[in-house]
Amino acid sequence: MAVKIANSRWRVWHRWMALIVGLQMVVWSISGAYMVFFKLPFIHGDHLVKQHDAVIHDSQAVAPFTNVLDKYPDASDIKLSSLWLNNQWQPVYHVSHHGTTELIDAQNLESIHLEQSAVKAIAEKIYALGDQPASRIEWLADNPPTELNPAHLPVWRVDFDDFGSTSLYFSPTTGELVTKRHTFWRGFDIMWMLHIMDYEERVDIESWLLKGFIIANFVFLMTGAVLLVYTLRKTKPESKINVEGSL
């Protein structure tokens, strides 16, 4: 009688544990399969943009670094690159000073202030999935969407009406591409959130909620193992009696 009561209790515990961890195990399986199926370069959106740092030719008469230092003696960093401006690739300097980065023309060292139309032109130039124009451009200074790190603010967001609902984010001061997002990245972000069970920041892989479910999963396995032992001990004598009866 005591064995039957203990067996019954183990079954109740096992069923409750199955109810608690079963659904989450299904979520782990689906989210894990999604993250394995789609490769990271695709998720990162490498296919969405073209190479956008053109070669700077000698004929473009770029002003030397010394001239930049003369104009910005307190500069902490100076970088030479190219940017799509006025329907051509132009050499530009990125000058970091006083905690900010300023964009200047590399030929005449004049400051460049990017307007909305200039950012839109840059986005359409580096967009790699065709020649379609951008469907929307938006200025974001606060309350960013969950797909954007708030540290990137302020930014220009440029959307394209394609299969993946592509969004490209650009720095308003340098015109540099900050990040890129599309539907499959957004799906990956949701699956990652469900997988690590961090429903707010989506970065904590050691949350107590996750640890709790992992422990609950082990308890579920242990109760199942105990029930298996009970079942084997129960069926073994019955098989012996049947054999003796047949003799």
Side-chain angles (χ1 to χ4, degrees):
M1 180 65 68
V3 173
K4 290 184 178 181
I5 294 175
N7 187 5
S8 176
R9 289 177 178 174
W10 279 107
R11 290 187 183 278
V12 171
W13 293 341
H14 186 70
R15 288 171 183 171
W16 274 107
M17 296 309 300
L19 181 63
I20 293 173
V21 305
L23 179 59
Q24 183 58 38
M25 291 179 68
V26 173
V27 172
W28 280 335
S29 300
I30 295 174
S31 59
Y34 185 97
M35 292 187 291
V36 169
F37 183 80
F38 292 103
K39 303 301 181 182
L40 282 180
F42 175 78
I43 293 299
H44 290 161
D46 293 348
H47 62 292
L48 299 176
V49 295
K50 307 172 186 175
Q51 172 64 32
H52 51 278
D53 193 6
V55 176
I56 299 174
H57 301 284
D58 294 337
S59 59
Q60 292 178 293
V62 174
F65 274 77
T66 53
N67 291 9
V68 182
L69 285 173
D70 290 339
K71 185 174 181 179
Y72 300 92
D74 56 348
S76 59
D77 183 71
I78 300 174
K79 182 176 69 173
L80 177 64
S81 65
S82 56
L83 191 65
W84 183 257
L85 296 169
N86 303 317
N87 294 321
Q88 63 179 344
W89 289 104
Q90 292 186 204
V92 293
Y93 278 117
H94 301 262
V95 182
S96 299
H97 62 110
H98 300 301
T100 62
T101 300
E102 184 176 346
L103 184 69
I104 63 174
D105 191 310
Q107 295 175 306
N108 55 29
L109 301 186
E110 294 182 357
S111 296
I112 299 175
H113 301 284
L114 296 175
E115 302 294 338
Q116 175 177 320
S117 58
V119 175
K120 182 175 180 291
I122 295 170
E124 292 173 347
K125 180 63 179 179
I126 69 174
Y127 178 69
L129 301 185
D131 296 327
Q132 64 174 302
S135 59
R136 187 181 67 158
I137 181 168
E138 180 182 6
W139 171 256
L140 298 176
D142 53 20
N143 299 322
T146 56
E147 66 187 35
L148 180 67
N149 188 332
H152 292 314
L153 294 176
V155 294
W156 283 105
R157 169 175 171 165
V158 183
D159 295 333
F160 289 87
D161 188 16
D162 56 19
F163 176 75
S165 299
T166 298
S167 297
L168 303 181
Y169 294 88
F170 294 87
S171 165
T173 55
T174 65
E176 292 181 303
L177 179 64
V178 172
T179 191
K180 41 198 181 296
R181 299 290 184 252
H182 57 121
T183 298
F184 296 96
W185 185 98
R186 298 175 184 115
F188 188 97
D189 188 47
I190 293 174
M191 292 300 171
W192 173 253
M193 173 191 70
L194 296 174
H195 202 75
I196 67 173
M197 304 183 72
D198 180 2
Y199 304 109
E200 295 182 0
E201 300 298 328
R202 307 183 184 186
V203 295
D204 187 4
I205 61 174
E206 297 182 355
S207 66
W208 284 108
L209 183 60
L210 178 59
K211 292 178 180 177
F213 268 85
I214 292 174
I215 294 172
N217 187 45
F218 278 112
V219 174
F220 171 68
L221 295 176
M222 290 173 61
T223 55
V226 171
L227 285 174
L228 178 61
V229 173
Y230 273 126
T231 302
L232 293 176
R233 290 178 62 183
K234 180 179 178 180
T235 57
K236 189 174 181 180
E238 291 179 354
S239 61
K240 182 177 180 181
I241 292 174
N242 291 336
V243 171
E244 291 176 349
S246 61
L247 293 175

